[in-house]
Amino acid sequence: MNVLIIGVGLIGGSFALALRDRGLAERIEGVEASEEHARRALERGLVDRIVTLEEGLPSADLIVLATPVDTIPLLTVKILNRIAPHQVVMDTGSIKGELCEVVAMHARRGRFVATHPMWGTEYSGPDAASRGAFAGRTAVICERERSDRDAVETVERLYGALGMPLVSMEPEEHDLHTAYVSHISHITSFALALTVLEKEREEQHIFDLAGGGFESTVRLAKSAPRTWVPILLRNKYNVLDVLREHIHQLQIMRRMIERDDAEGLTAAMQRANAIQKILP
Amino acid sequence: MNVLIIGVGLIGGSFALALRDRGLAERIEGVEASEEHARRALERGLVDRIVTLEEGLPSADLIVLATPVDTIPLLTVKILNRIAPHQVVMDTGSIKGELCEVVAMHARRGRFVATHPMWGTEYSGPDAASRGAFAGRTAVICERERSDRDAVETVERLYGALGMPLVSMEPEEHDLHTAYVSHISHITSFALALTVLEKEREEQHIFDLAGGGFESTVRLAKSAPRTWVPILLRNKYNVLDVLREHIHQLQIMRRMIERDDAEGLTAAMQRANAIQKILP
């Protein structure tokens, strides 16, 4: 199978490595807007060639979109406009509602598979691409029944070969649940970094004391704005809903600390401990 | 050297393992209030014997307090009241201000070394004790000049042998900086778990989507209330100060999302990204 990856960064590059390591692609070409990223993707052997979309499209069996979420809907339409009937297009973006709405009435909707592999790190670009990504993580497929059977089978076979359990979701459902579970984590982590940078003027102290739990909680604050600003804004209402709840929970904890309410804090922490049963 | 560890849980147990693995202690005895923990500490070989404080104290060269922070000040005084001039007492607690205040005028203040090894996990009890803990993490020593020279040397030699860089801090300074860097991380993590458990009623979705960053951000929410309620309440004013700032930062992000302020969000995330330079 010949694969064309649009956007050879953290996700596109890791996907390329995974396909190659498992012998799932004969040829992998990449389209990459950044010259620097294109050079690094070639140097690291993530793709065989860097091509333009025009050059790469005709001979690709599978086209994978792995660009920031604000660019995906229009790009998907433009690519669908130009593919042949046997070609398959998939995306890997973190927002599915707008995308599925935009392609809904496209004459070639069936050739498209909307997906979200639930893997990522705080780093971005081709240098962040890593081997062994995706394995064991869930791959979400949205509007599975609106894609042609062979297109879904191609995508599911690849994700399956990468060791990813598959889950079907409606796009609205996906955007709601990822706001709850993934997007809010990024907001808290960015806000935590800003809090500590604001309060703690001595960087050496941050470094010395980071062993006390800070390091893992603040990890996501290293994430790229180019990736995360569009995600938060394109999932605005779900994100605001969960962010309001999070601020509310913090205010409750604040009041309990103000009142030396050890019993209330204990009960709240015990409720929070329930997360252990879900994520052992 | 004979070591007596009071509280054979995550910290006390890991400290015992580290001392033993490096051949730093001939005999390690433990005092443990929980029968179940005492049994597990023996089964895992963390200590040679479980003893009462009365039994263990006379023959110990070093007494290590590793109990919850609300119990440490009185326990330290009671132990100092009963030791011989050659014995050394140290603690490993997360709060230093109240403790140093309580022992300040004790006739045997010099035999005590106030320390905080900056290592921990979200788990507790003897089963959570692990090999290789502490290495590379900072050990904070407070009021170093108020401890006898030989006592400080004993403690610093042990931490040094465990591969821990040493840092001296005043107790107030320690409590301020740990509130900024460690305690706030626990609050945000507990509040994040409560937020997600409140909003996301379908546990399967939390499990499926946790790969999107949630898992690391919520890790600390598994921490024990018995450990963390006393830490937050005994560091109340510092904790409230940083918690107020954190809620403020979240409110700023909320307003930017409400207004589709991509530029503002980008600038905020770029500022947060600076944490990368401090914690690479």
Side-chain angles (χ1 to χ4, degrees):
Chain A
M1 187 167 62
N2 292 331
V3 179
L4 179 67
I5 295 182
I6 325 274
V8 194
L10 171 69
I11 303 298
S14 299
F15 196 67
L17 285 173
L19 292 182
R20 208 187 285 284
D21 285 351
R22 285 175 178 77
L24 296 165
E26 277 86 61
R27 198 190 66 199
I28 305 180
E29 294 185 324
V31 176
E32 176 52 59
S34 149
E35 260 180 55
E36 170 66 11
H37 284 189
R39 191 177 59 74
R40 286 297 299 150
L42 277 177
E43 281 172 5
R44 291 200 58 201
L46 304 179
V47 292
D48 300 312
R49 284 207 310 158
I50 290 288
V51 295
T52 63
L53 189 56
E54 290 66 31
E55 288 167 347
L57 210 49
S59 62
D61 301 299
L62 173 70
I63 297 109
V64 181
L65 282 110
T67 54
V69 294
D70 52 332
T71 66
I72 292 179
L74 280 184
L75 204 48
T76 304
V77 169
K78 289 176 188 175
I79 289 171
L80 286 177
N81 288 349
R82 295 159 62 182
I83 57 167
H86 72 280
Q87 291 178 293
V88 176
V89 183
M90 65 178 275
D91 85 308
T92 59
S94 300
I95 303 288
K96 298 264 87 73
E98 187 189 35
L99 171 60
C100 287
E101 182 192 340
V102 168
V103 297
M105 312 266 301
H106 195 286
R108 294 179 185 148
R109 170 66 184 89
R111 305 313 301 160
F112 177 64
V113 186
T115 87
H116 184 195
M118 295 306 303
W119 175 85
T121 76
E122 64 274 36
Y123 303 109
S124 56
D127 283 318
S130 60
R131 295 209 125 76
F134 305 114
R137 303 306 184 85
T138 304
V140 178
I141 300 195
C142 290
E143 295 187 339
R144 192 175 177 284
E145 73 295 344
R146 305 195 65 174
S147 301
D148 293 345
R149 198 160 168 176
D150 71 293
V152 168
E153 278 169 5
T154 297
V155 172
E156 292 190 341
R157 187 172 53 79
L158 290 184
Y159 278 140
L162 266 46
M164 304 187 78
L166 296 162
V167 167
S168 271
M169 272 188 205
E170 286 311 295
E172 297 70 30
E173 200 190 355
H174 166 276
D175 291 358
L176 182 75
H177 295 301
T178 52
Y180 290 172
V181 180
S182 162
H183 306 170
I184 186 66
S185 288
H186 285 78
I187 298 176
T188 58
S189 203
F190 281 122
L192 181 64
L194 291 169
T195 302
V196 172
L197 292 167
E198 180 65 33
K199 297 302 287 185
E200 181 60 272
R201 296 300 181 174
E202 292 179 60
E203 295 188 358
Q204 187 59 41
H205 284 140
I206 300 178
F207 181 80
D208 287 343
L209 304 178
F214 181 60
E215 198 151 13
S216 71
T217 324
V218 86
R219 184 173 67 79
L220 300 176
K222 302 173 182 174
S223 304
R226 181 65 192 95
T227 304
W228 280 94
V229 171
I231 292 176
L232 299 186
L233 292 183
R234 267 149 212 262
N235 202 14
K236 180 172 169 171
Y237 295 101
N238 292 321
V239 163
L240 285 175
D241 177 42
V242 65
L243 181 49
R244 261 179 231 117
E245 175 65 30
H246 184 53
I247 291 173
H248 176 65
Q249 292 291 344
L250 285 168
Q251 283 165 336
I252 292 174
M253 289 193 78
R254 179 169 82 178
R255 249 169 279 138
M256 291 193 294
I257 296 169
E258 281 168 350
R259 294 174 189 164
D260 293 302
D261 180 2
E263 234 174 274
L265 281 169
T266 301
M269 289 183 192
Q270 280 167 344
R271 280 199 309 279
N273 285 169
I275 208 71
Q276 165 79 44
K277 279 180 227 138
I278 306 172
L279 302 174
Chain B
M1 187 165 65
N2 292 332
V3 179
L4 179 68
I5 296 183
I6 325 273
V8 193
L10 170 70
I11 303 298
S14 300
F15 196 67
L17 285 172
L19 292 182
R20 208 187 286 282
D21 285 352
R22 284 175 178 76
L24 297 164
E26 278 85 62
R27 200 190 64 199
I28 305 180
E29 294 184 324
V31 176
E32 176 52 58
S34 149
E35 259 181 56
E36 169 66 12
H37 284 189
R39 190 177 61 75
R40 287 297 299 152
L42 276 177
E43 282 173 5
R44 290 199 59 200
L46 304 179
V47 292
D48 299 311
R49 282 209 309 158
I50 291 289
V51 294
T52 63
L53 189 56
E54 290 67 30
E55 288 167 346
L57 210 51
S59 61
D61 301 301
L62 174 70
I63 297 110
V64 181
L65 282 109
T67 53
V69 293
D70 51 332
T71 65
I72 293 179
L74 281 184
L75 205 47
T76 304
V77 169
K78 290 176 187 175
I79 290 170
L80 286 177
N81 288 349
R82 295 160 60 182
I83 56 167
H86 72 281
Q87 291 178 291
V88 176
V89 182
M90 64 179 276
D91 85 306
T92 59
S94 299
I95 302 288
K96 298 265 86 72
E98 186 188 35
L99 171 61
C100 287
E101 183 193 340
V102 167
V103 297
M105 311 269 297
H106 195 287
R108 296 178 184 150
R109 170 68 184 87
R111 305 315 299 160
F112 177 64
V113 187
T115 88
H116 184 195
M118 296 305 303
W119 177 85
T121 76
E122 64 275 35
Y123 303 109
S124 56
D127 282 318
S130 60
R131 296 208 125 76
F134 305 114
R137 303 306 183 86
T138 305
V140 178
I141 300 196
C142 290
E143 296 187 337
R144 194 175 176 284
E145 73 294 345
R146 307 196 65 176
S147 302
D148 294 346
R149 196 160 169 178
D150 70 295
V152 167
E153 278 169 7
T154 297
V155 171
E156 291 189 343
R157 187 172 52 78
L158 289 184
Y159 278 142
L162 267 44
M164 304 187 79
L166 297 161
V167 166
S168 271
M169 272 188 204
E170 287 310 297
E172 297 69 30
E173 201 188 354
H174 166 276
D175 290 358
L176 183 75
H177 296 301
T178 52
Y180 290 172
V181 179
S182 163
H183 305 171
I184 186 66
S185 288
H186 284 78
I187 297 177
T188 58
S189 204
F190 280 122
L192 181 64
L194 291 169
T195 303
V196 172
L197 292 168
E198 180 65 34
K199 297 301 287 185
E200 181 60 270
R201 296 300 180 173
E202 293 179 60
E203 295 189 357
Q204 187 59 39
H205 284 140
I206 300 179
F207 180 80
D208 287 343
L209 305 176
F214 181 59
E215 196 151 16
S216 71
T217 324
V218 86
R219 184 173 66 78
L220 300 176
K222 301 173 183 175
S223 304
R226 181 65 193 96
T227 304
W228 281 94
V229 171
I231 292 176
L232 299 186
L233 292 183
R234 266 148 212 262
N235 202 13
K236 179 172 169 172
Y237 295 101
N238 291 321
V239 163
L240 284 174
D241 178 42
V242 66
L243 181 50
R244 261 178 231 118
E245 176 65 31
H246 184 52
I247 291 173
H248 176 64
Q249 292 291 345
L250 284 168
Q251 283 165 336
I252 293 174
M253 290 193 78
R254 179 169 82 178
R255 248 169 279 139
M256 291 192 295
I257 296 169
E258 281 168 351
R259 293 173 189 164
D260 293 301
D261 181 2
E263 234 174 273
L265 281 169
T266 301
M269 289 183 192
Q270 281 167 343
R271 282 200 308 280
N273 285 168
I275 208 72
Q276 166 80 43
K277 280 180 225 136
I278 305 171
L279 301 174

